[in-house]
Amino acid sequence: MTHPDLETLMAGVDHAPDEVLRHVAECPACREDLATLRRTRAAGDLLRREPGLSSLSAPPPEVWGAIQRELAGDDTVVPMPARPTRRRPWAWVAAAVVGAVLGSAITWAATQGSDSAHRATTSSALVPLGRNRTSGTISLTGSQPGAQLSLDVSELDPGPGFVEVWLLDARTGGMVSLGVLDGDHGSWALPPGLDLSAYDQVDVSREPYDGNPAHSQDSLARGRVP
Amino acid sequence: MRDTGGHPVRHAGQPRPVTEDDSERRLASAFAGGETWALEACYLRWSPLVFTLALRRLGEDADAQDVTQEVFLKAWRGRAGYDPDQRPLPAWLVGIARHTIADRMSSRTRDHRLHERITAVHEEPRDSGPADTVTDTLVVVDLLTRLEQPRREIVALAFLEGLTHAEVCARTGLPLGTVKSHIRRGLTQLRHHLGAGDDTP
């Protein structure tokens, strides 16, 4: 049984030649590929008609807070705030909140490089951890070297100690302190040599006045570097 | 012959990589295993997809928020019934989302005493199956946002726009071998994210 090559299959999304159809009828793998190709092409057609579908919206931070409150009644309480240690697989937390990442058309999505937004400001969501309600927006202006990170937060719980902002390397557990957040807005120049593909998490923690410069492990909120 | 990495024929029953994104697979296993960090990671990763899908179907922001909350709670509480080897996590979540949205729509219908419409409204998302293009579109957009360049551009041109390999090469300036390899991997990722079209949670 000879499989049609992928390009032949792709060309046959609308009108496949008879020999391809005969093969596909007998071959589950190629049938599944063709079905995927057709669904994806239909998605492309719909995107052209409705460019609004090309961006996803993140739910407001209250939704995550509600999930945690709900689960607090379960046996399987989610013991957040999470405690960063070297063993924790932070890599998964590094998955992004999408926000409106894609623009308004396929070609936009297709031509945007990850380095296309040199001086532009991009933003992502800061999501509360545990029973905290602190949430907000993380903004990144420019790219490394010379990038600037800023935070706008709301519902920062008044509490003891002070609030510190960190960048976290999910894979190694490495942390870099950016500084103190005083009030609901802060802005920091990033260390020029810092690799943002590794240090891709923003962590906001409450720190006691104990003279210990390490992270207190009392994280209030976290989000992805935009 | 399709290039199958040295094997002349790919057999249908042969295991093949579900995704090249190992992190996603490990997340799915951790979620199924009840590791609590996985819920947060899963929420960060897929709540925009679930929320946007709900918003699109229900129109009301408050309803979409409720559905998003409900989907992740159902997923977490029902994780014992989730087998990461059988189903990619996003396809499972989208399945739960579609049922939750359908329930919400049918309860709205009851609220409006349009009894004759209950069945139709309730059944609509289930019947739509793989032909549910709006869901497919949002899933593809969600995947595209994750892809690095040049794969994102290649996938969009080849699969969404329907360009030939040669046209993709001309548009991107990349050699044929590179384009072919990205297209092949892109198809695997699309198949994985779209799932089998079966929306049973």
Side-chain angles (χ1 to χ4, degrees), chain A residues 52-128:
Chain A
L53 280 172
S54 67
S55 71
L56 301 178
S57 312
E62 298 90 82
V63 176
W64 176 241
I67 289 171
Q68 293 195 288
R69 278 193 298 281
E70 187 76 24
L71 287 177
D74 283 12
D75 289 341
T76 55
V77 179
V78 183
M80 288 183 228
R83 303 173 71 82
T85 70
R86 289 195 161 264
R87 288 174 200 283
R88 272 188 74 89
W90 284 117
W92 322 133
V93 185
V97 172
V98 172
V101 178
L102 278 188
S104 57
I106 298 165
T107 32
W108 193 97
T111 51
Q112 295 301 300
S114 39
D115 55 357
S116 64
H118 278 306
R119 299 310 308 170
T121 298
T122 50
S123 50
S124 60
L126 188 68
V127 180

Side-chain angles (χ1 to χ4, degrees), chain A residues 33 50 92 110 112 129, chain B residues 2 23 37 56 149 153 191:
Chain A
D33 282 351
E50 294 190 48
W92 322 133
Q112 295 301 300
L129 295 177
Chain B
R2 180 176 301 187
S23 71
W37 62 267
R56 171 88 194 179
Q149 295 287 35
E153 180 176 8
R191 195 174 50 213

Side-chain angles (χ1 to χ4, degrees), chain A residues 35-210:
Chain A
T36 301
L37 290 171
R38 285 183 168 150
R39 288 169 69 182
T40 312
R41 189 71 60 83
D45 292 343
L46 184 59
L47 273 176
R48 258 185 297 281
R49 291 196 304 275
E50 294 190 48
L53 280 172
S54 67
S55 71
L56 301 178
S57 312
E62 298 90 82
V63 176
W64 176 241
I67 289 171
Q68 293 195 288
R69 278 193 298 281
E70 187 76 24
L71 287 177
D74 283 12
D75 289 341
T76 55
V77 179
V78 183
M80 288 183 228
R83 303 173 71 82
T85 70
R86 289 195 161 264
R87 288 174 200 283
R88 272 188 74 89
W90 284 117
W92 322 133
V93 185
V97 172
V98 172
V101 178
L102 278 188
S104 57
I106 298 165
T107 32
W108 193 97
T111 51
Q112 295 301 300
S114 39
D115 55 357
S116 64
H118 278 306
R119 299 310 308 170
T121 298
T122 50
S123 50
S124 60
L126 188 68
V127 180
L129 295 177
R131 291 170 177 270
N132 297 294
R133 305 180 68 103
T134 306
S135 63
T137 306
I138 307 163
S139 303
L140 186 73
T141 305
S143 55
Q144 286 285 67
Q148 181 105 4
L149 188 127
S150 52
L151 288 185
D152 287 284
V153 300
S154 59
E155 298 208 49
L156 192 59
D157 301 330
F162 61 96
V163 175
E164 190 165 358
V165 179
W166 309 75
L167 287 183
L168 176 69
D169 178 345
R171 289 149 193 88
T172 64
M175 302 192 89
V176 172
S177 171
L178 290 183
V180 172
L181 176 64
D182 183 18
D184 56 9
H185 175 82
S187 190
W188 302 268
L190 297 183
L194 195 69
D195 177 6
L196 292 184
S197 67
Y199 284 86
D200 58 359
Q201 287 285 302
V202 176
D203 178 278
V204 177
S205 71
R206 179 172 301 292
E207 299 291 327
Y209 288 108
D210 60 0

Side-chain angles (χ1 to χ4, degrees), chain A residues 14-38:
Chain A
D14 296 323
H15 303 288
D18 285 349
E19 75 248 33
V20 171
L21 289 178
R22 273 195 298 277
H23 171 81
V24 165
E26 294 165 6
C27 176
C30 288
R31 194 156 58 237
E32 200 187 323
D33 282 351
L34 187 60
T36 301
L37 290 171
R38 285 183 168 150

Side-chain angles (χ1 to χ4, degrees), chain B residues 71 74-75 78-83 86-100 103 126 197-201:
Chain B
V71 166
K74 275 184 189 168
R79 63 188 182 276
Y82 170 60
D83 180 355
Q86 294 296 315
R87 202 115 198 264
L89 193 50
W92 186 61
L93 289 170
V94 166
I96 295 174
R98 292 173 65 186
H99 283 287
T100 307
D103 288 347
R126 287 182 173 81
D198 161 26
D199 70 344
T200 311

Side-chain angles (χ1 to χ4, degrees), chain B residues 89-125:
Chain B
L89 193 50
W92 186 61
L93 289 170
V94 166
I96 295 174
R98 292 173 65 186
H99 283 287
T100 307
I101 291 164
D103 288 347
R104 181 63 60 118
M105 288 169 90
S106 86
S107 78
R108 268 187 187 174
T109 306
R110 274 195 298 279
D111 289 347
H112 289 91
R113 299 177 185 282
L114 295 172
H115 295 294
E116 69 281 4
R117 290 185 57 199
I118 287 175
T119 309
V121 171
H122 189 73
E123 292 302 325
E124 181 271 328

